[in-house]
């Protein structure tokens, strides 16, 4: 494959990755009435992704000098949205408090990067997004291991979401490593191949999440009555 052909192939994969969000979007439209409150909140991700993809590809130079604002906005929006989702599905008050603090810290870090310019904020916000959301996914996986299983693991929508996010985060680390090596060893386009593949992989797991969602999926348990709470802590 010639360099020009490889570049064209890379562009095709990147466009396919951005278009792949239409698959979970259609599932959201068809199955929204079956979603629990947490999954309904998660479903806003497809609109965030679609809006930012359109902005990245079709933003006018007369309004935005670069499309960096949409890239940073996507990473920041994903952190805020997923943080709100995990606030609803984690049972431990300590874990929910941790999610809130980490989400706030991530927002502050990205805002600080933006103060230095979007050139730093673009890769920085992506790294922060992957690290933070991988941590949130692991909190939920730990919760699943500690709770008595009520459903098959592959039928749990949030387990599927967490698995997709962990693979996405691992792929992002790989793409950044290839970016570093490309300066001396590899063609830089390999980085974009990895980015496209992990993006489509995440949308695949997101689609499974929406397909297997049910009205009573994981949610924060109701508080104990005062008497029961006193006994539980005694």
């Amino acid at each position: 494959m010639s360099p020009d052909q490889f570049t064209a192939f890379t562009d095709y994969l990147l466009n396919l990755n951005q278009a792949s969000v239409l698959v979970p979007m259609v599932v959201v439209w068809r199955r929204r009435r079956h979603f629990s409150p947490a999954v309904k909140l998660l479903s806003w991700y497809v609109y965030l992704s679609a809006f930012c993809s359109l902005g990245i590809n079709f933003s006018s130079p007369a309004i935005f000098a670069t499309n960096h604002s949409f890239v940073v906005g996507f990473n920041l929006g994903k952190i805020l949205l997923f943080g709100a989702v995990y606030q609803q599905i984690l049972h431990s008050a300590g874990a929910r408090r941790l999610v809130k603090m980490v989400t706030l810290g991530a927002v502050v870090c990205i805002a600080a990067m933006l103060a230095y310019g979007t050139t730093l904020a673009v890769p920085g916000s992506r790294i922060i997004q992957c690290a933070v959301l991988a941590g949130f996914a692991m909190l939920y996986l730990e919760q699943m291991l500690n709770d008595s299983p009520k459903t098959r693991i592959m039928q749990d929508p949030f387990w599927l979401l967490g698995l997709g996010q962990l693979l996405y985060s691992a792929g992002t680390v790989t793409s950044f490593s290839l970016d570093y090596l490309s300066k001396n060893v590899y063609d830089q386009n390999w980085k974009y191949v990895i980015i496209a593949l992990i993006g489509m992989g995440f949308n695949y797991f997101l689609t499974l999440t929406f397909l297997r969602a049910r009205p009573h999926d994981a949610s924060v348990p109701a508080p104990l009555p005062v008497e029961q709470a006193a006994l539980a802590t005694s």
Side-chain angles (χ1 to χ4, degrees):
M1 184 181 294
S2 68
D4 289 342
Q5 290 175 324
F6 188 47
T7 299
F9 174 68
T10 302
D11 291 339
Y12 169 76
L13 281 181
L14 288 172
N15 291 330
L16 184 62
N17 169 42
Q18 292 175 340
S20 67
V21 76
L22 295 175
V23 179
M25 185 180 290
V26 170
V27 175
V28 166
W29 291 342
R30 292 174 63 95
R31 301 200 70 248
R32 186 174 175 82
R33 67 183 182 277
H34 299 293
F35 291 170
S36 66
V39 180
K40 285 181 180 178
L41 180 60
L42 175 65
S43 68
W44 284 97
Y45 171 82
V46 298
Y47 303 109
L48 171 69
S49 180
F51 173 77
C52 291
S53 293
L54 290 173
I56 289 169
N57 288 288
F58 301 109
S59 58
S60 170
I63 303 175
F64 300 98
T66 67
N67 59 15
H68 291 174
S69 297
F70 288 97
V71 178
V72 176
F74 169 75
N75 290 314
L76 183 58
K78 188 175 178 182
I79 290 172
L80 291 170
L81 179 60
F82 277 50
V85 170
Y86 280 99
Q87 281 279 307
Q88 292 194 21
I89 64 175
L90 291 172
H91 297 169
S92 166
R96 296 198 299 273
R97 191 160 48 246
L98 178 61
V99 166
K100 186 181 296 185
M101 292 172 59
V102 171
T103 300
L104 178 61
V107 171
V108 171
C109 288
I110 293 174
M113 290 179 180
L114 282 170
Y116 283 94
T118 56
T119 302
L120 173 63
V122 166
S125 63
R126 184 178 176 88
I127 292 171
I128 291 173
Q129 178 243 120
C130 290
V132 166
L133 299 190
F136 291 172
M138 291 181 71
L139 281 175
Y140 183 75
L141 296 183
E142 181 184 16
Q143 175 177 288
M144 280 195 65
L145 292 174
N146 292 333
D147 290 348
S148 57
K150 298 177 181 178
T151 183
R152 292 178 57 189
I153 195 168
M154 289 299 292
Q155 298 298 320
D156 187 311
F158 296 108
W159 184 87
L160 292 167
L161 177 69
L163 178 59
Q165 181 60 47
L166 289 172
L167 293 174
Y168 180 87
S169 297
T172 296
V173 173
T174 302
S175 71
F176 274 96
S177 300
L178 288 175
D179 186 39
Y180 173 78
L181 291 174
S182 70
K183 294 176 173 59
N184 301 303
V185 183
Y186 296 111
D187 187 319
Q188 189 177 17
N189 280 327
W190 280 109
K191 176 186 76 171
Y192 298 113
V193 171
I194 297 295
I195 289 173
L197 292 177
I198 62 175
M200 286 186 283
F202 178 77
N203 286 335
Y204 168 75
F205 282 102
L206 187 68
T207 301
L208 289 181
T209 296
F210 293 136
L211 281 172
R212 296 177 183 178
R214 296 295 182 268
H216 303 293
D217 285 321
S219 59
V220 177
L224 290 171
V226 176
E227 296 82 359
Q228 294 181 14
L231 291 173
T233 55
S234 61

